[in-house]
Structure formats: C-alpha cells, structure tokens
Amino acid sequence: AELVSRTALQWESEAVEGADGTEKIKRTGRVRIPSRCLREIIDEHKSFASRICKPPVSLSVTVGGEPKHSEITLPLGSAIQVDANMTVQDWVPEDVVAKCKVTLEFCCAEKQPGNSSSTNGGRMPYMWCGQLRRTIDLSNEEDDKSHLARIAFFQCGVFVVSVCAKVSSQDAPAGIEESWWAPHAKIVRVGELDEQ
C-alpha cells in the first residue's frame, strides 16, 4: 500500500470555460499505479525500486560550517570546508548493517557550465583538497560516520556541492552498489572581489 501511495502521480490541468473562453478552471488529481503493474515495472527495471524506496542511510552536507544556509557567496580563489555526516536508518536490520560498507563521496558541479563571467583558460574551475572518498565499515560501530574535505574555486560561477553514499554488501559481487544522495545540496556563488 505504501509503495502504491509513494508512486502515485500528481496531475494538474487548466480548462477554459464560458462562452467567451476567459474563465479558467484549475483541476488537480492523483493517478495511482496498481500494485500488480508496479511489480511488473520493478521486475523489468530493477533500478526503479531504489528510486521509490526510503534510503537506508541519512545524509547531510554542510559547507563552511553553516548548516542552515543553503547558499554561500565566496570571493574568487577561496577555499571552504565541506562536511558530510551519515547515519544508518533504524529500520535497517542489524544483520544487514553488519555486512555493509558505505563510501561517502563529495561532488561538485557548475550549475551552468560555460556561462561564467571569467574564462578558465583550460583550468579546472575548482579543486578538492583532501580525500574525496571515504569508506566506512558499518560492522565497526566505532568507525566515525563523517567525512570532510576542502574545495577551492578558481573560476567565477554558481556551483552545487553535495555528497553521496554508495552502499555495498560484502556478499555482493564487486561493483554492485546503491547510490543515495544527500536530500539537499548546497549552492556556492563565486565572484570577483569588488575593486575599492
């Protein structure tokens, strides 16, 4: 039942009524996919299930020590610390947790590549300083479930910084993993210093 409700599709339309066609009525609704059809879709496309399920890990990312701000402005050439924290959801069975490991990986992307106010001359617009990935052994309860690195920006623009958790099992073949992203990325605006 939860799967059916989580995959319901929301729709919205505008209908024109009246003799002159100026009266618009907004209509909304939900379309539910029957569970039998959902099972067929999941059997055919295995990756679909992970997109509609609750994540087994909870992730948060903080940029510059400001957890409440979703956007930060920096001068060109600045570096800033990025922190990630991960917790395993309490509904994940202990025997499953004992067999898993999680790799936290930082990522950054320019929001509109090529639209920067300055040219990069073939250089990377940013560079990570420190360890980009960190693997956490979930069977070891004392293993710290956080990670940090610094990122320096060498080009003006708007960048999105986030973290993902790649969950893999010790029993699974190499390369088989699930990737889960932090629910909220942070935006970093990088600009030139004002001349005074």
Side-chain angles (χ1 to χ4, degrees):
E2 183 183 351
L3 187 61
V4 172
S5 67
R6 288 178 58 91
T7 57
L9 304 172
Q10 200 81 17
W11 62 268
E12 186 177 297
S13 70
E14 280 188 9
V16 179
E17 290 189 0
D20 57 0
T22 57
E23 189 178 334
K24 291 184 180 180
I25 297 175
K26 193 177 197 177
R27 294 184 177 137
T28 60
R30 288 174 57 104
V31 176
R32 292 183 183 238
I33 302 169
S35 59
R36 180 177 42 83
C37 296
L38 279 173
R39 274 189 238 111
E40 286 178 26
I41 292 169
I42 291 169
D43 286 344
E44 209 170 298
H45 306 282
K46 302 288 186 208
S47 66
F48 183 71
S50 66
R51 290 182 173 83
I52 57 177
C53 297
K54 291 181 181 176
V57 294
S58 173
L59 287 171
S60 66
V61 64
T62 305
V63 177
E66 298 289 336
K68 295 178 183 171
H69 295 113
S70 61
E71 191 171 306
I72 291 176
T73 302
L74 293 175
L76 186 63
S78 295
I80 195 162
Q81 183 168 307
V82 182
D83 296 279
N85 288 298
M86 188 256 339
T87 55
V88 178
Q89 301 287 12
D90 57 2
W91 57 263
V92 179
E94 288 295 323
D95 60 325
V96 173
V97 172
K99 296 180 194 174
C100 289
K101 62 180 179 178
V102 176
T103 301
L104 296 178
E105 183 172 349
F106 290 116
C107 50
C108 178
E110 191 172 3
K111 205 163 184 184
Q112 295 177 331
N115 292 343
S116 300
S117 61
S118 63
T119 58
N120 65 359
R123 294 184 312 180
M124 286 293 295
Y126 60 87
M127 182 178 77
W128 287 100
C129 309
Q131 196 174 359
L132 197 58
R133 289 175 204 84
R134 178 172 182 267
T135 301
I136 299 166
D137 181 5
L138 295 182
S139 64
N140 181 359
E141 288 185 20
E142 294 181 14
D143 196 357
D144 183 25
K145 293 174 180 54
S146 64
H147 186 35
L148 64 91
R150 291 181 65 79
I151 185 169
F153 295 94
F154 307 117
Q155 178 178 312
C156 294
V158 179
F159 299 86
V160 179
V161 178
S162 191
V163 66
C164 77
K166 296 180 179 181
V167 182
S168 59
S169 171
Q170 296 166 355
D171 299 341
I176 304 292
E177 61 189 16
E178 289 183 4
S179 293
W180 298 91
W181 289 89
H184 303 288
K186 303 297 181 180
I187 295 173
V188 179
R189 292 185 182 277
V190 180
E192 301 275 354
L193 286 174
D194 293 331
E195 296 289 329
Q196 294 191 358

